[in-house]
Amino acid sequence: MDTILGPLYYAVSWIIVQFHSLYSLVFDKDSGWAWGLSIVSLVVLIRICLIPLFVKQIKATRNMQALQPKMKAIQERYKSDKQRQSEEMMKLYKETGTNPLSSCLPILAQSPFFISLYQVLNHIAQGKTVGFIDQELLASAREAHIFGAPLSVKFLDSASKVESLGATITDVRVVTIIMIVLMSLSQFYTQRQLMTKNVDLSVKTPFMQQQKMLMYVFPVIFAVIGINVPVGVLLYWLTTNVWTMGQQMFVIRRNPTPGSLAFTQRQERLRAKGKLKEDPAEVEARKAVEAARAKRQQPKRQTKAKRQVAGTTPAASATASTAAEEKPSLEKKQGETGTDAKAAGGTKDAKAGGKPGQRKSGPQRPKHPSKK
């Protein structure tokens, strides 16, 4: 590893020494501020150099998102023929000019610098000169502390080693835990921001599921690896995560993925400022929809009886009203008919010599002999 990355050790150590010389004009050369800011400046310099690769990563990620439906169709079509499936995938990549590895370029390009910084700090922790860091700079770097923790110690280092560098194991572990938590949170927020704001939610693809899984996996990986790296490397890692988060926020706001929530929000901002050029037909159609939505009245709440009356047909309502009007007349006629019948019955009884209400005259039952 030292043989392969030896030139990068010199490059990384030279950059750190140059920044350290600059910050020593303001801070004490043995202080954690001078060495810590040198590491932060190294991160910023590397990330600035990687901006062109980051732009390629954004374009590659969008192309991969756009190709997800076609890729899924190929997988379903050639499910039983893996070789044909791979051939069709490569053909699709070639036709669209997409490179699946482009999204990993910034990480791959940054990895050698990350490993080199780790090895430089590891040499400092072991008291060995490396690259442009000679004995004088080595002694200065070993004395540098960030919030009470030496740059070269790890979370799992022994108390005796930490005390030899003028610190306590408690200070080291508190600082490392705080840095690991901040690293994990920044990575989680960065991934969540990408999933919730810069993804076209109208298309459900396996790519989205993978991104969602990575959103929870990466913080766990950082937490596991973080306890095995020096404090200086944790500072490098935290700085690059914060840079990535800010850079992504800028890109999502200024150049979001079409169909995403961030794209809709950007369109609204441009429309409010009058900077969005739209088709007049689309503007009129949107205004018509908004006007119709504003004029639409919500149905009033009605009782069950009113709903039943409203639900009856006009013919049934007319029939019911006619029946209601005819009912008093029918009752009046029935009353008149009953009165006439009673009057006729009374006249007949009077003619028969009886009283109204008495039994009609006819053959009488013979009286009992005792009553004769």
Side-chain angles (χ1 to χ4, degrees), residues 312-326:
T312 57
T313 59
S317 300
T319 303
S321 61
T322 304
E325 293 175 356
E326 291 180 352

Side-chain angles (χ1 to χ4, degrees), residues 195-206:
M195 288 295 301
T196 56
K197 287 191 174 183
N198 204 39
V199 173
D200 186 1
L201 299 178
S202 61
V203 181
K204 303 294 183 181
T205 61

Side-chain angles (χ1 to χ4, degrees), residues 23-83:
Y23 291 120
S24 296
L25 300 176
V26 181
F27 305 101
D28 182 12
K29 65 178 183 179
D30 298 332
S31 66
W33 286 104
W35 286 101
L37 290 175
S38 299
I39 295 174
V40 172
S41 300
L42 172 66
V43 176
V44 173
L45 179 63
I46 293 174
R47 296 307 300 266
I48 290 175
C49 295
L50 294 178
I51 286 178
L53 292 179
F54 179 77
V55 174
K56 289 185 178 181
Q57 179 191 18
I58 294 295
K59 293 181 179 179
T61 303
R62 288 186 179 178
N63 291 337
M64 291 297 294
Q65 290 176 353
L67 291 179
Q68 287 299 313
K70 295 182 180 180
M71 293 170 61
K72 188 175 182 180
I74 292 175
Q75 292 173 354
E76 293 293 332
R77 185 174 182 181
Y78 303 103
K79 186 183 298 184
S80 58
D81 191 349
K82 297 297 182 181
Q83 183 177 358

Side-chain angles (χ1 to χ4, degrees), residues 40-238:
V40 172
S41 300
L42 172 66
V43 176
V44 173
L45 179 63
I46 293 174
R47 296 307 300 266
I48 290 175
C49 295
L50 294 178
I51 286 178
L53 292 179
F54 179 77
V55 174
K56 289 185 178 181
Q57 179 191 18
I58 294 295
K59 293 181 179 179
T61 303
R62 288 186 179 178
N63 291 337
M64 291 297 294
Q65 290 176 353
L67 291 179
Q68 287 299 313
K70 295 182 180 180
M71 293 170 61
K72 188 175 182 180
I74 292 175
Q75 292 173 354
E76 293 293 332
R77 185 174 182 181
Y78 303 103
K79 186 183 298 184
S80 58
D81 191 349
K82 297 297 182 181
Q83 183 177 358
R84 182 66 183 278
Q85 185 182 119
S86 301
E87 292 175 356
E88 292 296 327
M89 287 288 189
M90 296 303 297
K91 183 179 179 182
L92 179 63
Y93 294 149
K94 187 176 181 180
E95 290 176 352
T96 57
T98 303
N99 185 2
L101 298 179
S102 297
S103 59
C104 302
L105 285 178
I107 298 176
L108 295 176
Q110 191 177 351
S111 297
F113 292 93
F114 177 84
I115 296 173
S116 299
L117 178 62
Y118 175 83
Q119 291 296 331
V120 168
L121 293 175
N122 193 38
H123 278 71
I124 293 174
Q126 295 176 2
K128 298 179 181 179
T129 59
V130 56
F132 287 91
I133 298 180
D134 53 17
Q135 288 292 341
E136 183 180 355
L137 292 173
L138 177 63
S140 176
R142 287 174 64 86
E143 293 293 330
H145 291 65
I146 296 180
F147 302 110
L151 290 173
S152 57
V153 299
K154 308 174 187 177
F155 179 87
L156 298 178
D157 283 343
S158 62
S160 58
K161 181 178 179 181
V162 173
E163 290 175 357
S164 66
L165 296 174
T168 62
I169 192 67
T170 303
D171 292 339
V172 170
R173 292 186 175 177
V174 169
V175 171
T176 53
I177 289 175
I178 292 174
M179 285 189 172
I180 291 172
V181 171
L182 292 177
M183 283 166 45
S184 301
L185 290 177
S186 60
Q187 178 65 31
F188 177 82
Y189 180 79
T190 301
Q191 198 69 22
R192 186 177 183 275
Q193 181 181 230
L194 179 65
M195 288 295 301
T196 56
K197 287 191 174 183
N198 204 39
V199 173
D200 186 1
L201 299 178
S202 61
V203 181
K204 303 294 183 181
T205 61
F207 178 78
M208 295 175 61
Q209 298 297 327
Q210 294 174 3
Q211 293 294 320
K212 187 176 181 180
M213 181 181 65
L214 293 176
M215 181 172 65
Y216 295 98
V217 171
F218 273 150
V220 176
I221 294 176
F222 286 156
V224 173
I225 297 177
I227 61 176
N228 294 302
V229 297
V231 173
V233 176
L234 291 179
L235 179 61
Y236 174 94
W237 211 338
L238 177 60

Side-chain angles (χ1 to χ4, degrees), residues 328-342:
S329 301
L330 182 58
E331 291 177 351
K332 185 177 180 180
K333 289 181 180 181
Q334 289 178 351
E336 293 175 353
T337 305
T339 304
D340 294 342
K342 290 179 181 179

